């Protein structure tokens, strides 16, 4: 059940890293001069000898992280998602993913959570880029509970991980007792007419759309895929075989994100379904509040409701 209390996933991430540090002496945190926004300065204050601020130098950030991993450390390298996935794509690919170094990449202010700064800071390509790198696990949490569990799982996992974090205060979808496993998807709501699949903060809007559709007699099944790679295709296909209709929704381009991953999964077992991918459609976005930008590009609450209604009417 969703908790009404608003929590910040980035604070949850740092809480968990601080809690993990005494248990995992190899853990170090690096930042690219965004420690005020990312909150990594809290880790710096708790463990000053295990924190490195490399300045506005994202390529160096991941080169240094790779070097630390080569010496046996477990580096968590934090910057904005747009800079990790684009400016530092080659160092991540060649210096981290290729040798399978044990680096945890945190991409903050992901998706449209940085609405006010416009296209230059709204990261809508990062999932597509990171999914294409071999050996890299790609994850994105929907709330503070999942963020903490993902952070712990990422540090415990041997190999490179990309953790996409959106910076907004949101209620908790998950109970503290939920069990997070890398590669597992979750059915948040049972339904029979339409499957809505989401990850990150889009999960909240998917649940709100399901609530809005219920009085209209539309039964919506809501799936969450906190791990984008590897994707839980078994859960996805089982749901679609039941509902026969799928909507994916994400704060990301329609190219290369969950919609593309779902399309690939559906082609393999030849699952027949009516399918619509909601995402930003091959344009550069505008500035505005995160919610207003989401509504403009069709991935807000109303956009999901409209898609559910339209797909449910198709026979």
């Amino acid at each position: 059940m969703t908790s009404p209390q608003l929590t910040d996933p980035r604070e949850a991430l740092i809480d968990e890293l601080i809690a993990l540090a005494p248990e995992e002496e190899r853990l170090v945190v690096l930042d690219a001069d965004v420690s005020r926004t990312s909150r990594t300065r809290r880790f710096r204050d708790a463990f000053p000898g295990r924190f490195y601020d490399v300045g506005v130098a994202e390529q160096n950030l991941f080169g240094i992280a790779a070097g630390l991993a080569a010496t046996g450390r477990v580096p968590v390298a934090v910057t904005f998602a747009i800079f990790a996935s684009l400016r530092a794509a080659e160092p991540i690919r060649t210096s981290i993913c290729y040798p399978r170094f044990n680096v945890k990449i945190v991409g903050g202010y992901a998706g449209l959570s940085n609405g006010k700064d416009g296209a230059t800071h709204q990261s809508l390509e990062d999932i597509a880029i990171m999914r294409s790198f071999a050996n890299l696990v790609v994850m994105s949490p929907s709330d503070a509970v999942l963020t903490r569990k993902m952070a712990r799982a990422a540090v415990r996992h041997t190999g490179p991980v990309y953790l996409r974090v959106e910076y907004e205060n949101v209620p908790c979808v998950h109970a503290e007792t939920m069990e997070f496993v890398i590669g597992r998807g979750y059915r948040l709501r049972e339904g029979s007419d339409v499957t809505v699949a989401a990850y990150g903060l889009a999960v909240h809007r998917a649940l709100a759309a399901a609530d809005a559709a219920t009085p209209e007699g539309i039964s919506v099944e809501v799936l969450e895929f906190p791990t984008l790679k590897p994707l839980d295709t078994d859960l996805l296909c089982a749901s679609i075989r039941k509902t026969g209709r799928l909507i994916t929704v994400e704060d990301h381009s329609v190219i290369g994100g969950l919609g593309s991953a779902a399309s690939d999964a559906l082609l393999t077992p030849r699952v027949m379904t009516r399918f619509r991918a909601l995402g930003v459609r091959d344009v550069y976005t505008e500035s505005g509040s995160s919610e207003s930008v989401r509504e403009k590009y069709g991935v807000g609450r109303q956009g999901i409701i409209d898609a559910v209604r339209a797909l449910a009417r198709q026979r």
Side-chain angles (χ1 to χ4, degrees):
M1 180 178 295
T2 299
S3 166
Q5 181 180 0
L6 298 181
T7 54
D8 190 334
R10 65 185 137 179
E11 298 285 5
L13 172 68
I14 304 307
D15 287 344
E16 196 62 26
L17 293 177
I18 290 171
L20 275 166
E23 306 170 26
E24 178 51 84
E25 294 183 354
R26 300 175 300 159
L27 175 65
V28 294
V29 172
L30 300 86
D31 193 284
D33 199 32
V34 293
S35 63
R36 174 181 291 182
T37 303
S38 68
R39 309 295 197 260
T40 58
R41 59 179 54 190
R42 292 179 48 221
F43 187 93
R44 175 202 64 190
D45 294 344
F47 300 96
R50 295 163 67 178
F51 177 81
Y52 305 89
D53 192 330
V54 307
V56 185
E58 290 82 1
Q59 293 166 325
N60 271 351
L61 171 71
F62 294 106
I64 293 168
L68 286 166
T71 68
R73 298 295 184 97
V74 181
V76 178
V78 184
T79 186
F80 292 172
I82 191 76
F83 302 134
S85 60
L86 292 175
R87 185 173 295 167
E90 192 277 330
I92 289 173
R93 173 192 179 274
T94 306
S95 299
I96 294 174
C97 296
Y98 178 41
R100 299 191 185 194
F101 279 153
N102 199 22
V103 177
K104 318 308 169 184
I105 303 155
V106 177
Y109 252 148
L112 295 168
S113 63
N114 195 0
K116 65 183 182 300
D117 286 336
T120 58
H121 284 64
Q122 295 165 6
S123 183
L124 302 174
E125 306 88 3
D126 59 315
I127 296 295
I129 293 165
M130 297 300 190
R131 280 183 61 235
S132 72
F133 292 162
N135 305 324
L136 184 62
V137 171
V138 179
M139 306 190 296
S140 180
S142 58
D143 65 7
V145 170
L146 200 47
T147 304
R148 288 193 296 272
K149 293 177 183 291
M150 278 186 169
R152 183 168 289 265
V155 170
R156 298 297 188 212
H157 175 79
T158 301
V161 174
Y162 176 59
L163 183 58
R164 180 194 217 239
V165 184
E166 295 161 273
Y167 290 172
E168 285 183 46
N169 290 322
V170 291
C172 284
V173 173
H174 298 281
E176 292 288 348
T177 53
M178 75 89 62
E179 179 187 7
F180 171 72
V181 177
I182 292 175
R184 179 183 296 176
Y186 298 85
R187 181 180 288 106
L188 302 184
R189 182 166 304 184
E190 295 273 359
S192 57
D193 296 326
V194 180
T195 298
V196 176
Y199 63 90
L201 301 192
V203 168
H204 297 265
R205 304 191 300 277
L207 289 168
D211 287 340
T214 299
E216 301 178 23
I218 304 172
S219 176
V220 179
E221 179 148 298
V222 179
L223 304 182
E224 177 179 9
F225 291 98
T227 309
L228 280 301
K229 180 188 175 189
L231 189 71
D232 189 347
T233 55
D234 289 342
L235 174 66
L236 179 67
C237 291
S239 178
I240 294 166
R241 288 190 179 102
K242 176 173 60 172
T243 66
R245 298 173 179 84
L246 172 65
I247 296 169
T248 58
V249 57
E250 54 193 320
D251 281 14
H252 188 272
S253 169
V254 292
I255 301 168
L258 177 59
S260 295
S263 297
D264 293 344
L266 298 179
L267 286 172
T268 304
R270 298 183 64 84
V271 177
M272 301 302 293
T273 186
R274 294 175 177 84
F275 175 38
R276 182 170 180 188
L278 299 184
V280 176
R281 296 200 164 271
D282 203 23
V283 297
Y284 289 106
T285 47
E286 300 176 11
S287 302
S289 71
S290 295
E291 282 309 307
S292 67
V293 174
R294 287 176 180 131
E295 290 297 340
K296 178 179 176 66
Y297 294 101
V299 295
R301 176 180 178 273
Q302 191 58 50
I304 303 171
I305 293 170
D306 292 344
V308 166
R309 287 170 176 158
L311 210 59
R313 285 196 295 265
Q314 294 183 16
R315 300 296 176 188

